[in-house]
Amino acid sequence: MSDPSYTDIAQRLERLTELSVELSTNHDIPLLLEKILKAAKGITHADGGTLYRASDDKQRLCFNISINDTLGMYQGGASGHTIDIPDIPLVNVDGSKNLSAVAAYAANTGTSVNIQDVYKVDLFNFSGMRRFDERYNYHSQSFLTVPMTDHEGEVIGVLQLINAKDPATGHTRAFSDTDQRFIEALASQAAIAITNQQLILLLENLFESFVKLINIGIDEKSPHTGRHCEHVPELTMMLADAVHDADSGPLASFRMTPGDRKQLWIAGLLHDCGKITTPVHVVEKATKLEALFDRIHLVDARFEVLKRDAEIRALKAKLAAGNDTKRHEEINRGLSAELARLDDDREFLRFANIGSEAMSPEAQARVTEIARYRWTGPDGFERDLLSEDEIANLTIRAGTLNAQEREIINNHIAVTIRMLESLPWPKHLQAVPEYAGGHHERMDGKGYPRGLRGDQMSVQARMMAIADIFEALTAKDRPYKKGKTLSESLEILGGFCERSHIDPDLFDIFVRKKVYLQYAERFMDPSQIDEVDESRIPGYVP
């Protein structure tokens, strides 16, 4: 027949081993704390137990979980019942350590306290315990209080067990030396596990803060781009949630774990990090002629010179005509017509300078025609009204960027990929470069920088492509365009779908689940949110 004491110890060791495994695999700190307290109670056969957490400023012990089997009491933790017990100060009013409360004593000294009968000991202030006993008609007797210290010796909490029970009789007994050693071992392991989880959370928060720091740097260069970096991940996650919830269609099997969501969120925050290398004058180019300043003002000045020269020619012609009134009237009419034409041409160039979604070939030809007007510069030499560079910029077909600037701006995604691929990503974040680097690729393989087809990209990268386009369409803070209305944006996005730019299955969910409206209500100006007739959206079948 085996010795009962050895059997009991073996069972305790098994329980402690099981908890050790749980501590190393479970990343939910509140759940870990609950398992720690329940395991401590089970190992010592304690009737009650309390787990305290040290406050962030290490000035108080905060009740985290409190359990008492006899009273059927369960507060804090996963119980959903708020703990109505006040915190225990670790420091007295005069700044000295609080050594009168047993839990505070254990925390401040780093030593365990094992009391056989609290009513026979006057070393500590047990007035709170006595009030508890009177209130609930309970009798507290044996106490075991053990500090939980981390790898640096800093107390992160305290375990307190009440009334150890004899398994055979059910009578209250003192906590044995074996009980104490087991709980000290458990508290040590628990403290290390909790500290590890806290360090992981701190590192993750630090990493995300660094990510946001990059976006702050981009925001300082361009507040317009900065908001784009904030909004794209939000819209990406909205679409990801909608796809995750889909129970039919080609994407019905797509699911995301919390870790997958975290990875996609980080990728969204970093999707334009390469823009930190893009010159400000390119990012902020609000008009076609803008460089360090808007050169349309130079063109305005040249028109003034042309008008001045026209007036001088008219005056000279009048002098040559002498007192011929009829000739003077003819000269005046010609001058008025020429000035009107110059004013009209100048207004046309001002409008062309603003940029649009599509400049017609006729408008481009008119720019070239106006460019050939001759004017005399400050150096006395006659030249064309517009330089070749000015012609090239003013005839940009769409937007405000010329071919060289477009290449510079497009290079940001190549820089993004190089930056992200150079980092030693942990296993759970290894897809970040692919997710972030694919939002300018197209389903038909004609995107950039790698020319990937839809089947070569992850669903997450294809989601971000939709989010990136839709955010850009609706944004009203861009220096070069006005924000589109909701219906206009969906019509344009639908056109992208029809032309195989974006994933049609994702676009279907984007519209069907009204992801666009969810985003609009959070981030778009109310004046942009108009009525949407989904039956008129290109590429979508209601």
Side-chain angles (χ1 to χ4, degrees):
M1 184 176 180
S2 61
D3 188 332
S5 63
Y6 284 114
T7 302
D8 179 59
I9 289 174
Q11 290 174 343
R12 295 193 199 196
L13 283 172
E14 184 177 357
R15 187 74 181 269
L16 189 61
T17 302
E18 289 174 354
L19 182 63
S20 297
V21 173
E22 183 75 24
L23 292 175
S24 65
T25 58
N26 196 315
H27 305 307
D28 185 334
I29 289 180
L31 183 60
L32 278 178
L33 294 173
E34 195 155 318
K35 287 182 176 293
I36 289 165
L37 180 58
K38 289 181 177 179
K41 282 179 71 279
I43 287 172
T44 58
H45 308 291
D47 186 47
T50 299
L51 193 149
Y52 304 87
R53 294 288 302 277
S55 61
D56 291 338
D57 59 5
K58 307 300 180 185
Q59 297 296 301
R60 305 178 313 283
L61 286 177
C62 308
F63 281 86
N64 191 270
I65 310 170
S66 183
I67 300 175
N68 189 290
D69 295 339
T70 297
L71 298 176
M73 181 180 293
Y74 181 11
Q75 293 179 309
S79 69
H81 301 297
T82 304
I83 294 180
D84 56 2
I85 308 171
D87 297 341
I88 299 174
L90 290 174
V91 180
N92 295 316
V93 178
D94 61 4
S96 61
K97 293 180 179 180
N98 177 11
L99 301 178
S100 61
V102 64
Y105 177 91
N108 279 319
T109 63
T111 57
S112 301
V113 180
N114 191 344
I115 300 174
Q116 294 185 13
D117 191 336
V118 294
Y119 281 95
K120 295 179 181 179
V121 173
D122 58 3
L123 294 174
F124 302 102
N125 179 1
F126 284 113
S127 58
M129 179 214 68
R130 291 188 173 91
R131 288 194 299 271
F132 178 89
D133 284 358
E134 291 172 4
R135 179 180 176 183
Y136 293 103
N137 193 28
Y138 187 72
H139 181 72
S140 301
Q141 183 175 318
S142 56
F143 264 59
L144 177 59
T145 307
V146 178
M148 298 167 62
T149 57
D150 64 15
H151 60 292
E152 294 181 341
E154 189 171 325
V155 174
I156 65 169
V158 171
L159 264 175
Q160 189 170 72
L161 302 173
I162 304 172
N163 287 359
K165 297 290 186 180
D166 186 316
T169 65
H171 295 154
T172 300
R173 62 170 177 81
F175 288 95
S176 66
D177 291 341
T178 302
D179 290 334
Q180 180 173 329
R181 286 195 293 272
F182 267 107
I183 299 307
E184 287 173 344
L186 184 151
S188 176
Q189 290 186 4
I192 292 170
I194 292 170
T195 301
N196 285 342
Q197 291 305 314
Q198 289 175 328
L199 288 173
I200 289 171
L201 289 174
L202 285 172
L203 287 172
E204 287 181 347
N205 290 335
L206 179 63
F207 172 71
E208 190 163 330
S209 296
F210 271 121
V211 171
K212 291 178 178 177
L213 193 66
I214 292 173
N215 287 343
I216 289 173
I218 297 173
D219 193 15
E220 286 298 311
K221 292 179 67 175
S222 168
H224 315 100
T225 302
R227 278 183 281 276
H228 176 77
C229 293
E230 294 170 14
H231 292 172
V232 167
E234 295 282 0
L235 180 52
T236 301
M237 298 313 298
M238 291 177 189
L239 180 53
D241 288 340
V243 179
H244 175 89
D245 294 337
D247 54 9
S248 62
L251 295 169
S253 62
F254 179 84
R255 293 293 180 269
M256 294 189 74
T257 65
D260 295 333
R261 289 177 52 80
K262 181 73 172 179
Q263 185 166 219
L264 183 57
W265 172 253
I266 293 295
L269 289 174
L270 285 167
H271 83 283
D272 268 352
C273 65
K275 283 185 178 175
I276 201 166
T277 66
T278 306
V280 176
H281 72 273
V282 175
V283 176
E284 291 285 280
K285 191 181 181 189
T287 64
K288 294 180 179 181
L289 289 180
E290 184 172 336
L292 297 179
F293 63 95
D294 193 346
R295 291 174 291 163
I296 194 67
H297 304 304
L298 297 179
V299 177
D300 281 340
R302 294 171 202 162
F303 271 101
E304 289 300 320
V305 172
L306 288 176
K307 291 169 69 176
R308 179 206 64 186
D309 289 347
E311 290 170 347
I312 291 172
R313 284 195 302 272
L315 289 173
K316 287 181 177 179
K318 286 182 180 180
L319 286 173
N323 295 325
D324 188 341
T325 305
K326 186 175 180 181
R327 175 61 181 151
H328 283 198
E329 291 175 355
E330 182 183 336
I331 292 169
N332 286 337
R333 286 194 299 271
L335 175 62
S336 296
E338 184 174 1
L339 294 179
R341 176 177 58 80
L342 290 172
D343 283 338
D344 183 63
D345 288 339
R346 178 165 60 178
E347 287 305 313
F348 168 76
L349 292 185
R350 283 176 174 173
F351 180 78
N353 185 45
I354 295 171
S356 63
E357 289 183 9
M359 187 178 195
S360 69
E362 293 77 16
Q364 290 174 318
R366 185 178 175 186
V367 170
T368 304
E369 182 183 339
I370 295 172
R372 302 310 171 207
Y373 293 174
R374 303 292 288 177
W375 75 293
T376 302
D379 56 3
F381 290 99
E382 191 177 76
R383 67 201 70 192
D384 287 344
L385 183 66
L386 301 177
S387 68
E388 291 301 321
D389 178 72
E390 290 165 340
I391 295 171
N393 278 278
L394 284 171
T395 55
I396 293 170
R397 191 187 66 81
T400 61
L401 299 179
N402 59 40
Q404 293 76 21
E405 291 161 342
R406 179 63 62 188
E407 187 174 340
I408 291 171
I409 204 80
N410 287 352
N411 187 55
H412 82 273
I413 189 62
V415 175
T416 293
I417 293 171
R418 288 202 304 273
M419 288 173 64
L420 297 182
E421 288 185 344
S422 70
L423 296 176
W425 294 98
K427 183 178 179 181
H428 66 288
L429 294 176
Q430 284 184 351
V432 166
E434 192 268 330
Y435 293 171
H439 65 278
H440 285 300
E441 303 290 353
R442 289 171 36 167
M443 296 296 289
D444 59 8
K446 296 179 181 178
Y448 63 92
R450 292 174 170 169
L452 301 176
R453 298 186 310 276
D455 59 358
Q456 296 175 301
M457 292 185 286
S458 64
V459 175
Q460 289 89 336
R462 285 177 266 156
M463 287 178 188
M464 205 169 297
I466 290 177
D468 188 73
I469 295 170
F470 191 76
E471 193 285 333
L473 290 171
T474 58
K476 61 178 298 184
D477 60 358
R478 301 295 190 270
Y480 49 84
K481 73 172 190 66
K482 295 180 179 179
K484 302 289 185 184
T485 64
L486 197 53
S487 60
E488 289 172 336
S489 300
L490 286 169
E491 182 179 350
I492 295 170
L493 193 63
F496 281 123
C497 180
E498 287 187 325
R499 296 190 296 275
S500 299
H501 285 221
I502 61 174
D503 187 323
D505 298 324
L506 287 173
F507 180 63
D508 180 84
I509 293 176
F510 185 80
V511 177
R512 195 173 305 280
K513 299 297 183 181
K514 291 184 168 43
V515 178
Y516 66 86
L517 187 59
Q518 181 186 353
Y519 175 81
E521 290 172 346
R522 280 192 60 188
F523 297 109
M524 287 176 64
D525 190 283
S527 63
Q528 294 175 266
I529 305 176
D530 58 353
E531 193 70 28
V532 173
D533 183 354
E534 293 182 355
S535 66
R536 297 174 64 91
I537 298 175
Y540 174 71
V541 180

